[in-house]
């Protein structure tokens, strides 16, 4: 199949583009480089030894997107492009709503006009709000605590409405848990611009002395050691989940959790990092972060039953590969 990958130079998109090629699909990447560098294109070419068609374009630019659709013959779309920093979304709500919602509207309009029937969307576990874990796809969605999360809820709703009006469309909503890790080559990984938001890039930047110490947000939750519990998933496993989702896509809207089903606390992740990489991570316990839930992990059985996919890599693989990328990253 020829697959349009929006946001394909970002963290998850770049790993998925690589695996799509490996699985024999043709890949066309669209990215506006707002949170990635062109250098990622050279890196994926180097790893796979093949070329990728790339357009530097904004997915919210409908005229430009129509031009791209007219020049290619897509069989499917994986829509990663979006802004994703939770705290930034609180200070810049309009940018987040505009970018994340208009991009999907433009893409779906193009898909309908150019008869592209397969559409895979990057959603997030954040749509479950304060529901108790393990989180299941058929749970009622929770209240979101920030504009970023709300854009995921709105996008899911838009795609459900599209499916009602255009029942020939095959749409998958993939709810990711916490992707970390990196490509085993050390050439691809998570390289956020500015100060990281998420725990894993924070840990690796403390390890490389870019940041002095880690702040652990609260140790008084009702969890194994009082710190927040999340379902960390290796980005390579997550990327594989997209290939399975695309190859097994069904008509209508189908929702899948992409997680491991296993929770890990902040202190457990720090300990695993220290042990595997033999580096001490200085940290201090501070106040809880606003909007955080105590625990968030998936019931990952549906993706296994329906797509034949399950995460295979361990926390040890994740912390090793994350550091392997960060330590040489320039
Ligand atoms: P990322 O920022 O690394 O990648 C997103 C890419 O999209 C970037 O390369 C950026 O330049 C591009 N982009 C953004 N807006 C664009 C636009 N309007 N037009 C063209 N390109 C645009 O993020 P990621 O971690 O790879 O996340 C990919 C998707 O998965 C996002 O939709 C994100 O919300 C979702 N998601 C991520 C996580 C996570 O923790 N990383 C968790 C759940 C869901
Ligand atoms: N966390 C932390 N210090 C940080 C960043 C995150 O203690 O600098 C904690 C956070 O409170 C949560 C876990 O690490 O319990 C994962 O946070 P992250 O932002 O990576 O993911 P999310 O909360 O969005 O699932």
């Amino acid at each position: 199949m020829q697959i349009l990958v929006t946001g394909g130079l970002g963290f998850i998109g770049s790993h998925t583009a690589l695996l799509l090629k490996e699985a024999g699909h043709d890949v066309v990447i669209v990215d506006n480089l707002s949170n990635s560098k062109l250098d990622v294109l050279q890196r994926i070419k180097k790893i796979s030894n093949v070329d990728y068609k790339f357009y530097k374009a904004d997915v919210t630019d409908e005229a430009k997107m129509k031009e791209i659709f007219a020049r290619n013959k897509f069989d499917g779309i994986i829509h990663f492009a979006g802004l994703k920093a939770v705290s930034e979304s609180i200070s810049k709500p309009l940018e987040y709503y505009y970018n994340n919602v208009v991009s999907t509207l433009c893409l779906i309009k193009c898909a309908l006009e150019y008869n592209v029937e397969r559409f895979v969307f990057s959603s997030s576990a954040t749509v479950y709000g304060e529901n108790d874990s393990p989180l299941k796809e058929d749970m009622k969605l929770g209240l979101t605590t920030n504009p970023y999360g709300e854009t995921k809820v709105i996008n899911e709703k838009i795609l459900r409405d599209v499916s009602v009006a255009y029942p020939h469309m095959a749409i998958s909503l993939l709810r990711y848990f916490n992707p970390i890790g990196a490509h085993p080559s050390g050439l691809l990984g998570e390289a956020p611009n500015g100060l990281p938001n998420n725990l894993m890039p924070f840990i690796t930047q403390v390890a490389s002395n870019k940041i002095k110490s880690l702040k652990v947000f609260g140790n008084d939750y009702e969890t194994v050691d009082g710190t927040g519990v999340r379902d960390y998933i290796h980005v390579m496993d997550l990327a594989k989940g997209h290939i399975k989702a695309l190859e097994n896509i069904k008509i209508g809207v189908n929702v899948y959790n992409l997680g491991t089903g296993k929770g890990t606390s902040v202190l457990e992740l720090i300990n695993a990092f220290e042990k595997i990489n033999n580096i001490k991570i200085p940290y201090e316990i501070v106040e809880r972060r606003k909007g955080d839930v105590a625990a968030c992990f998936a019931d990952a059985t549906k993706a296994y039953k329906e797509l034949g996919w399950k995460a295979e890599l361990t926390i040890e693989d994740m912390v090793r590969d994350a550091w392997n990328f960060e330590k040489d990253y320039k």
Side-chain angles (χ1 to χ4, degrees):
M1 291 190 275
Q2 184 175 62
I3 307 301
L4 168 63
V5 181
T6 74
L9 296 188
F11 175 44
I12 309 168
S14 57
H15 290 80
T16 306
L18 260 185
L19 294 191
L20 279 167
K21 277 271 194 190
E22 271 178 24
H25 301 293
D26 195 12
V27 176
V28 177
I29 295 174
V30 169
D31 202 301
N32 66 359
L33 303 180
S34 60
N35 196 36
S36 51
K37 298 195 177 77
L38 197 53
D39 167 55
V40 173
L41 187 62
Q42 308 314 325
R43 290 170 181 248
I44 55 177
K45 283 182 185 171
K46 190 169 167 191
I47 295 170
S48 54
N49 217 4
V50 287
D51 216 356
Y52 291 76
K53 199 188 240 187
F54 170 65
Y55 294 95
K56 179 175 184 298
D58 196 302
V59 185
T60 63
D61 182 346
E62 196 176 325
K64 179 77 188 166
M65 290 310 293
K66 281 196 173 155
E67 225 180 277
I68 295 172
F69 274 74
R71 282 205 211 133
N72 295 279
K73 176 79 197 75
F74 299 131
D75 300 293
I77 300 167
I78 308 185
H79 179 30
F80 292 104
L83 299 173
K84 64 159 183 178
V86 170
S87 51
E88 189 185 55
S89 80
I90 297 170
S91 55
K92 297 179 177 169
L94 297 183
E95 276 183 30
Y96 271 69
Y97 283 113
Y98 188 86
N99 191 71
N100 291 4
V101 177
V102 176
S103 59
T104 304
L105 292 174
C106 278
L107 264 184
I108 266 293
K109 276 172 87 173
C110 292
L112 293 169
E113 190 172 328
Y114 289 89
N115 301 315
V116 186
E117 296 180 352
R118 299 177 185 85
F119 194 98
V120 176
F121 176 68
S122 297
S123 190
S124 164
T126 189
V127 301
Y128 290 112
E130 297 217 327
N131 274 301
D132 286 336
S133 291
L135 299 160
K136 272 183 92 88
E137 290 86 345
D138 57 5
M139 278 176 167
K140 198 167 179 298
L141 299 190
L143 284 180
T144 54
T145 52
N146 55 75
Y148 165 74
E150 197 57 28
T151 68
K152 294 298 178 193
V153 173
I154 295 170
N155 271 304
E156 287 201 1
K157 173 83 174 98
I158 291 171
L159 293 169
R160 285 181 193 282
D161 291 344
V162 165
S163 156
V164 172
Y166 305 95
H168 65 283
M169 290 294 287
I171 298 171
S172 278
L173 308 176
L174 304 183
R175 294 183 182 154
Y176 311 156
F177 283 70
N178 292 55
I180 60 171
H183 190 269
S185 64
L187 286 173
L188 274 188
E190 190 170 16
N193 293 334
L195 203 64
N197 275 281
N198 299 109
L199 181 59
M200 192 69 236
F202 226 108
I203 293 178
T204 54
Q205 294 205 12
V206 170
S208 60
N209 288 323
K210 288 184 186 146
I211 300 170
K212 253 180 84 187
S213 107
L214 173 74
K215 290 185 168 60
V216 173
F217 298 138
N219 66 349
D220 55 355
Y221 288 107
E222 277 191 33
T223 59
V224 57
D225 54 23
T227 64
V229 163
R230 296 291 182 273
D231 185 341
Y232 297 97
I233 174 169
H234 198 295
V235 66
M236 293 299 288
D237 272 332
L238 186 62
K240 282 184 194 156
H242 288 75
I243 318 296
K244 289 284 191 186
L246 189 72
E247 291 178 348
N248 296 291
I249 202 161
K250 293 185 290 201
I251 280 175
V253 172
N254 286 282
V255 186
Y256 299 101
N257 284 340
L258 297 185
T260 65
K262 189 178 169 291
T264 302
S265 76
V266 176
L267 294 183
E268 285 171 339
L269 193 69
I270 296 173
N271 288 338
F273 187 94
E274 291 184 331
K275 193 165 154 220
I276 294 290
N277 298 313
N278 204 15
I279 300 175
K280 205 92 203 112
I281 301 296
Y283 67 84
E284 54 176 326
I285 309 282
V286 299
E287 290 286 281
R288 290 181 178 193
R289 184 172 64 178
K290 212 170 145 251
D292 268 357
V293 294
C296 173
F297 54 93
D299 176 323
T301 50
K302 187 177 175 203
Y304 184 57
K305 278 189 200 136
E306 294 189 16
L307 306 175
W309 171 88
K310 74 170 177 349
E312 276 159 359
L313 299 169
T314 63
I315 285 285
E316 286 71 27
D317 297 319
M318 300 180 213
V319 296
R320 183 199 59 229
D321 290 341
W323 177 237
N324 186 38
F325 170 71
E326 171 69 27
K327 74 180 183 353
D328 298 325
Y329 185 70
K330 305 224 170 25

